[in-house]
Amino acid sequence: MIYPEEDFLLLSGLQHFKFCRRQWALIHVEQQWAENFRTVDGALMHSKAHEKGSTERRGDLLIVRSLPVFSASLGVSGECDVVEFHETTDGIALKGQSGLWQPYPVEYKRGKHSQRTGDALQLCGQAMCLEEMLCCAIPEGALYYGETRRRLRISFTEELRQEVRDALKEMHELYRRGYTPKVKPTKACGACSLKELCLPKLMGRSSVAKYLADALEGLP
């Protein structure tokens, strides 16, 4: 399926969707947002990744920052924090550069790695966009975490790629319907910047009527 440009979703939404479908819908369907320490700190980290300029050459390494990407087959568009192009004998040609180059996306994140986050999903989505744009294969990339100051290598397996496709298919359907899923409260709700908009404790109750009855029970 080829999506028209007006139906493209934000690539960054993959991370929100993996973390919580309701959070993704509040941000991307209902256009609601709220800041907390984690979102502000993350934004500062991304600004540092971009602040040195758009392109830098270091010998056989070409570093491109804030690179716009898109995929008509996935129906997404977004931006890569950093894409490294490593000079190699079996890469792709780049306009204005001699030799052949292998793309290697790098995404900057605050904190440290957790299996709960959609960091790898988002990075894989970036790679799939680059593959479609550049007509090449990208087997791996890296996540850089600010807390540990280390890179984590991510292999773009077929399993991870299928998870990207499945997630985006569901995201497009929810967006088309304008539907916001109900909350499924977890421990992670306490760290969510949207908890005051989402009201997980209220939404997690069996019914509004029961909530009101419980609230009125103690009144004189």
Side-chain angles (χ1 to χ4, degrees):
M1 180 175 179
I2 300 299
Y3 291 90
E5 189 173 345
E6 59 268 23
D7 290 341
F8 282 7
L9 299 176
L10 289 177
L11 183 58
S12 59
L14 275 168
Q15 182 185 15
H16 300 139
F17 192 78
K18 174 74 172 181
F19 178 75
C20 172
R21 283 163 166 75
R22 181 172 173 81
Q23 184 198 68
W24 169 81
L26 287 172
I27 296 172
H28 297 270
V29 177
E30 297 189 16
Q31 301 293 305
Q32 300 193 56
W33 183 247
E35 296 281 12
N36 66 4
F37 168 77
R38 289 174 173 81
T39 60
V40 172
D41 192 43
L44 289 173
M45 172 165 287
H46 280 79
S47 69
K48 290 179 181 178
H50 302 160
E51 66 187 2
K52 293 183 180 179
S54 59
T55 305
E56 182 182 353
R57 178 75 181 267
R58 301 178 186 173
D60 60 356
L61 176 64
L62 181 67
I63 303 172
V64 180
R65 296 178 172 85
S66 304
L67 180 64
V69 294
F70 71 92
S71 167
S73 64
L74 296 175
V76 291
S77 63
E79 186 177 88
C80 297
D81 284 346
V82 171
V83 179
E84 297 178 349
F85 290 89
H86 297 260
E87 192 167 13
T88 181
T89 56
D90 57 353
I92 59 171
L94 295 177
K95 184 177 180 181
Q97 301 291 335
S98 59
L100 299 176
W101 304 83
Q102 174 62 43
Y104 190 88
V106 182
E107 179 72 8
Y108 281 67
K109 298 294 182 183
R110 68 172 305 278
K112 56 186 178 182
H113 178 66
S114 169
Q115 293 293 342
R116 275 191 51 82
T117 69
D119 297 346
L121 204 66
Q122 182 183 356
L123 183 68
C124 185
Q126 293 176 3
M128 293 168 74
C129 288
L130 286 166
E131 287 176 332
E132 188 171 315
M133 293 169 60
L134 301 174
C135 298
C136 66
I138 303 176
E140 65 179 50
L143 295 165
Y144 175 85
Y145 287 97
E147 185 173 325
T148 59
R149 297 188 177 184
R150 295 180 66 88
R151 283 189 178 190
L152 177 66
R153 185 174 64 87
I154 301 296
S155 296
F156 302 133
T157 63
E158 181 53 37
E159 181 182 10
L160 185 59
R161 291 168 183 270
Q162 190 57 50
E163 188 178 356
V164 170
R165 298 184 194 103
D166 292 343
L168 285 170
K169 183 179 179 181
E170 187 176 348
M171 289 161 64
H172 276 286
E173 178 60 22
L174 291 174
Y175 191 86
R176 184 188 64 80
R177 293 167 54 199
Y179 178 73
T180 299
K182 292 182 179 180
V183 70
K184 294 181 179 179
T186 67
K187 293 181 180 179
C189 290
C192 179
S193 65
L194 297 182
K195 62 182 179 181
E196 299 303 325
L197 299 172
C198 175
L199 300 176
K201 291 183 179 180
L202 175 59
M203 293 296 294
R205 294 176 181 267
S206 58
S207 70
V208 174
K210 185 178 185 304
Y211 171 78
L212 292 174
D214 291 344
L216 293 172
E217 185 177 349
L219 294 178

